[in-house]
Amino acid sequence: MSEFGALLETARDIAWIVDHASPAPKISNLASLGLFVFRLQSVPFQQMQRQTSWKHASGQRVGARPLDQFLGPDADNITLSGELYPELTGGVVDLDELRGMGDLGAAWPLIDGSGYIYGDFTITDISETRSVLMWDGSPRKIEFSLSLKRVPDDLDQPAPASNSTGP
C-alpha cells in the first residue's frame, strides 16, 4: 500500500470514530438570577409562572359607561417551583443561598438558558416542604416555590420633562 493509501485509510478511520463517538454531555442552565445558576446540580425548577398586569384608571361619566385610561405597566411577578431530590440535585444548601440573596433585598437580573433577559427581580418569598425524611431528619425530597417581583427599569433615569404649559 502506498503512503497516500495508508494516509487515506487513517483519515477514514478518524472520520468513522468522529461520526460514531457519543456526544459530549451538555451542561445546560435553566436560568440565572444574578450569579445563582439554576441547573440540575443546584435548583432545577420544573415550572415557571409569570403574571404581568397593567394599570387602568376609570372615570365615571353621567349617562354613559365609565371611561378607562391606560396608565402604564403594573406588577410583573414570576414564580419558579419544583422538586429537589438532594441525592441527585441541589438541596437545602442551595435554597439557603437563595434565602441569603433575598436577605440582601437587592435586585438581580433574571436570564433564562436561551439568553432571554426578563429584567431585574427581587426575591419576595421562598417556601419549601421537606418530605421522605431519613433517620437523621434530612429530606430525600424538597418541594419549593420561589417568588420574584420585578423592579422598575426607570429608577436610575430622570423623569421625562412635563409638556404642560402651566400658568
Side-chain angles (χ1 to χ4, degrees):
M1 182 183 278
S2 70
E3 223 177 278
F4 178 73
L7 191 58
L8 185 59
E9 191 65 33
T10 302
R12 284 187 189 142
D13 290 344
I14 292 171
W16 186 90
I17 291 170
V18 169
D19 287 342
H20 293 87
S22 61
K26 285 186 169 180
I27 297 176
S28 61
N29 299 331
L30 295 171
S32 64
L33 180 65
L35 296 177
F36 185 88
V37 180
F38 295 92
R39 60 176 171 245
L40 183 60
Q41 298 82 7
S42 64
V43 180
F45 57 89
Q46 284 83 37
Q47 186 175 19
M48 174 190 261
Q49 180 184 16
R50 185 175 189 185
Q51 183 178 2
T52 307
S53 57
W54 295 266
K55 294 181 277 191
H56 294 269
S58 182
Q60 300 297 322
R61 301 185 304 166
V62 176
R65 290 191 173 120
L67 184 64
D68 284 353
Q69 180 179 2
F70 177 67
L71 298 178
D74 201 2
D76 190 3
N77 299 311
I78 291 181
T79 302
L80 306 176
S81 58
E83 297 176 349
L84 302 179
Y85 299 92
E87 296 169 340
L88 303 172
T89 63
V92 177
V93 172
D94 298 291
L95 291 175
D96 284 344
E97 185 176 343
L98 288 167
R99 279 191 178 88
M101 292 170 65
D103 287 343
L104 296 175
W108 309 93
L110 179 65
I111 305 169
D112 72 14
S114 68
Y116 182 79
I117 301 171
Y118 290 89
D120 292 340
F121 287 79
T122 57
I123 297 173
T124 59
D125 183 69
I126 296 177
S127 64
E128 74 180 69
T129 303
R130 299 178 186 193
S131 60
V132 191
L133 302 177
M134 294 174 36
W135 64 270
D136 63 352
S138 60
R140 297 184 84 179
K141 178 181 177 182
I142 302 170
E143 295 174 70
F144 73 92
S145 177
L146 171 69
S147 299
L148 307 171
K149 183 176 182 179
R150 187 167 182 183
V151 297
D153 296 328
D154 59 353
L155 287 180
D156 58 351
Q157 298 175 7
S162 173
N163 289 336
S164 65
T165 55

